[in-house]
Amino acid sequence: MYLEVTKLKLCICVFCLLCSYSGGALSRTAGDSLYSLAEDIGLSIGVHKANTDYKHLKADTLRSIFGHRNNDIDLSVLYLNDKHLFEGLINYSNTDREIQSLRIKIRDYKELSRLKWPRLQSSQFSLGQKNKEIAKLRWMLVSLGDLKYKPLSAYREQVYDPIITAGIMLFQERHGLSQSGDLTKESIELLNVTPNEVVTKLQAAVKMKLSEFHQKKSIYIEVNISEYKLKVKGDEDFNFEIPVIVGRPANKTPLLNTYISNITVNPTWTPPHSIVYDELLLGLKTDPQFLVAQRFVLINRLDSKKVKSLKGMNTEQVRLSLKNFKLVQKPGYWNALGGYRFTIPNSESIFLHDTPNKKLFSKRNRALSHGCIRLAKPELLANYLVSRENVDTKEKLEAAKQGSKTVNITLNNPIPIIITNQNIWVDKDNRLQLRSNVYKREVKGNG
């Protein structure tokens, strides 16, 4: 009898344990976190938590996070049925600093959206001018955090002063505009964006980051197209940013999730077919010395040791030679890839590289390349990559820097790299940064 009772108790315990790990079961803490996350990403929820069907809420939340891409539908089901994975995702949503910063901004802007957001008319004001539109502008800048609140009389609120100019400059900086301090047409258009529209963008950014949880690495490189910057993520010992140039709208830089496998010092450049025929041969028509001056040579496609000079060759002769030869630019300061090339395996022939034309980094809009990513400070990235390598690799890089020959360095510890297009984020000073979509495409996961 005793043994039978003991067996019965054991069966009940096992049954309860299995139930606790079923896809639908949630601890109180996980349930509260799920409710909070669902609210932040914009799901319709009942007024009281007690009335919430957490099983359905869990399914709706996962569909909202992973359902924006067809190939992620299976991930939604996977997280729904795997309690360990699901709780990892919920914990990530509560602990990742970038996601937490975005979620806080969502709540802030939801509060702002309860107010009637004014609309500025296109106007030009001068210092000392009084106008009712100025009081409206002042209130908007204060509400957005670009201007500190200061009690003023009704009359004084309507006067255009240097404080407003400073607030406009901060607003322009947060939106990637030229910081003139003038109330430009572009600035007015962005000031008229309602808080509710910003909430929608913030929610999309949170969902995009959560959808990449399964690809998350502890340390990785991120290139954000909309920010025109490369950053190291997850490494507290190295906190640097490198300005970048990305593909122009006609040659978009693709969204990628790959890794940096090689560094090439003093690279040669073999331009693609499109550049050869659409640009280089046209340049040769205008200037017979164009290709020679740019240090191009012809290299046999079957035997790289066979090199042919371009001196005295006209456009048609070069065109005929391209059947058996390829155009290659010698390494040096003139080379289109500069001193460094970084290989990232992908199907679209995209890589990171240096450039001899550093003046372009001073431009605000840096969507200027043929698709590859140009780096303002490539040596900074190269040094960081070899800091993760053995002594031999470090010495190989240092030796390559001193010479002029092309040297390829294979990394023993390749680092993941994500090329994304986030047009809204919270910076290190807790300021919300917003950018226009470089390629007119919304924030979405990598593919």
Side-chain angles (χ1 to χ4, degrees):
M1 182 70 178
Y2 174 79
L3 287 174
E4 289 177 357
V5 171
T6 303
K7 287 180 180 178
L8 179 61
K9 287 182 177 179
L10 183 60
C11 288
I12 291 171
C13 288
V14 171
F15 178 76
C16 291
L17 185 62
L18 288 172
C19 287
S20 70
Y21 277 85
S22 67
L26 285 175
S27 67
R28 180 177 296 176
T29 303
D32 290 345
S33 294
L34 172 61
Y35 186 96
S36 175
L37 176 61
E39 272 195 320
D40 286 345
I41 64 175
L43 294 184
S44 298
I45 304 173
V47 178
H48 302 291
K49 290 184 184 179
N51 299 331
T52 301
D53 183 338
Y54 281 104
K55 184 177 179 180
H56 287 96
L57 182 61
K58 180 179 177 181
D60 289 345
T61 301
L62 291 170
R63 274 195 295 269
S64 182
I65 292 169
F66 295 106
H68 63 284
R69 296 187 305 184
N70 292 332
N71 61 339
D72 277 347
I73 293 174
D74 290 341
L75 279 175
S76 176
V77 176
L78 178 63
Y79 278 87
L80 183 65
N81 294 320
D82 191 315
K83 183 175 185 289
H84 177 73
L85 272 177
F86 176 73
E87 290 192 345
L89 179 69
I90 292 296
N91 182 58
Y92 177 57
S93 75
N94 289 333
T95 56
D96 181 80
R97 283 185 294 181
E98 291 184 7
I99 291 176
Q100 277 298 291
S101 296
L102 288 167
R103 291 178 67 181
I104 290 169
K105 292 297 181 186
I106 286 173
R107 294 161 199 169
D108 290 344
Y109 274 79
K110 277 185 176 180
E111 286 299 314
L112 270 183
S113 66
R114 298 178 192 276
L115 306 172
K116 184 178 180 181
W117 196 251
R119 188 165 186 82
L120 283 176
Q121 301 302 315
S122 183
S123 306
Q124 287 291 328
F125 301 113
S126 55
L127 289 175
Q129 185 177 347
K130 177 179 174 294
N131 190 295
K132 288 182 180 179
E133 285 288 296
I134 296 169
K136 193 189 296 184
L137 168 62
R138 190 187 298 274
W139 182 88
M140 294 167 88
L141 291 170
V142 169
S143 299
L144 295 171
D146 297 309
L147 202 59
K148 287 186 178 179
Y149 172 74
K150 183 179 179 181
L152 297 171
S153 66
Y155 177 89
R156 187 69 180 79
E157 280 184 341
Q158 298 179 44
V159 177
Y160 200 85
D161 56 25
I163 295 175
I164 283 188
T165 301
I168 291 172
M169 289 179 71
L170 186 54
F171 177 86
Q172 290 169 334
E173 188 275 330
R174 290 195 306 106
H175 289 77
L177 304 178
S178 176
Q179 299 166 52
S180 64
D182 298 326
L183 193 59
T184 61
K185 181 181 177 182
E186 197 173 8
S187 299
I188 291 172
E189 287 175 356
L190 290 170
L191 280 162
N192 284 336
V193 172
T194 66
N196 204 44
E197 291 175 88
V198 177
V199 168
T200 300
K201 291 181 179 181
L202 285 164
Q203 289 170 336
V206 169
K207 287 189 281 188
M208 183 272 291
K209 285 188 171 295
L210 288 172
S211 73
E212 295 175 341
F213 172 61
H214 62 291
Q215 300 170 327
K216 177 79 173 173
K217 306 295 181 183
S218 56
I219 297 176
Y220 62 99
I221 301 289
E222 179 186 89
V223 175
N224 186 5
I225 292 169
S226 289
E227 192 179 4
Y228 302 118
K229 280 185 181 177
L230 176 149
K231 297 178 183 178
V232 175
K233 295 294 186 80
D235 193 335
E236 300 297 331
D237 295 327
F238 291 87
N239 184 22
F240 63 82
E241 300 178 352
I242 298 176
V244 302
I245 289 169
V246 300
R248 60 178 71 122
N251 304 98
K252 298 180 181 69
T253 296
L255 306 181
L256 296 171
N257 198 314
T258 180
Y259 56 92
I260 301 178
S261 60
N262 296 73
I263 305 171
T264 304
V265 185
N266 303 317
T268 59
W269 179 47
T270 304
H273 183 277
S274 58
I275 294 178
V276 170
Y277 287 91
D278 296 344
E279 298 180 28
L280 297 180
L281 291 184
L282 290 178
L284 184 61
K285 276 187 177 181
T286 307
D287 178 6
Q289 298 301 313
F290 176 71
L291 293 177
V292 173
Q294 296 293 320
R295 296 349 190 248
F296 276 99
V297 293
L298 289 166
I299 294 181
N300 191 283
R301 295 181 184 275
L302 300 178
D303 185 355
S304 60
K305 291 182 180 179
K306 292 182 179 179
V307 180
K308 189 174 178 182
S309 172
L310 287 158
K311 287 183 179 178
M313 293 182 70
N314 60 33
T315 305
E316 190 56 33
Q317 289 173 321
V318 174
R319 193 188 301 275
L320 290 172
S321 295
L322 290 175
K323 293 178 181 179
N324 300 311
F325 291 79
K326 56 185 177 181
L327 270 179
V328 177
Q329 190 178 36
K330 293 180 178 180
Y333 67 86
W334 51 79
N335 190 281
L337 306 186
Y340 297 87
R341 167 186 161 139
F342 302 86
T343 303
I344 54 172
N346 65 93
S347 61
E348 303 193 49
S349 302
I350 298 299
F351 48 88
L352 285 69
H353 64 87
D354 186 14
T355 175
N357 191 356
K358 301 294 185 182
K359 291 181 180 179
L360 293 179
F361 290 101
S362 63
K363 290 182 174 290
R364 180 166 60 90
N365 180 352
R366 296 201 295 275
L368 304 167
S369 80
H370 291 89
C372 289
I373 297 165
R374 304 177 195 171
L375 307 174
K377 300 177 181 178
E379 190 170 350
L380 192 62
L381 178 59
N383 290 340
Y384 173 71
L385 294 175
V386 299
S387 73
R388 297 157 40 88
E389 298 288 314
N390 57 36
V391 174
D392 289 344
T393 306
K394 294 175 183 176
E395 290 177 350
K396 190 173 183 180
L397 176 64
E398 289 306 313
K401 289 179 185 178
Q402 307 306 315
S404 58
K405 290 184 178 180
T406 301
V407 178
N408 186 57
I409 300 171
T410 300
L411 298 176
N412 298 308
N413 189 22
I415 188 169
I417 179 169
I418 293 175
I419 300 174
T420 186
N421 190 17
Q422 303 171 48
N423 59 2
I424 187 165
W425 68 93
V426 180
D427 68 17
K428 56 182 172 41
D429 297 316
N430 199 36
R431 298 177 305 174
L432 186 64
Q433 298 282 338
L434 301 97
R435 299 291 186 273
S436 58
N437 283 303
V438 176
Y439 304 137
K440 307 301 180 187
R441 59 190 179 193
E442 291 302 318
V443 172
K444 55 185 178 181
N446 292 325

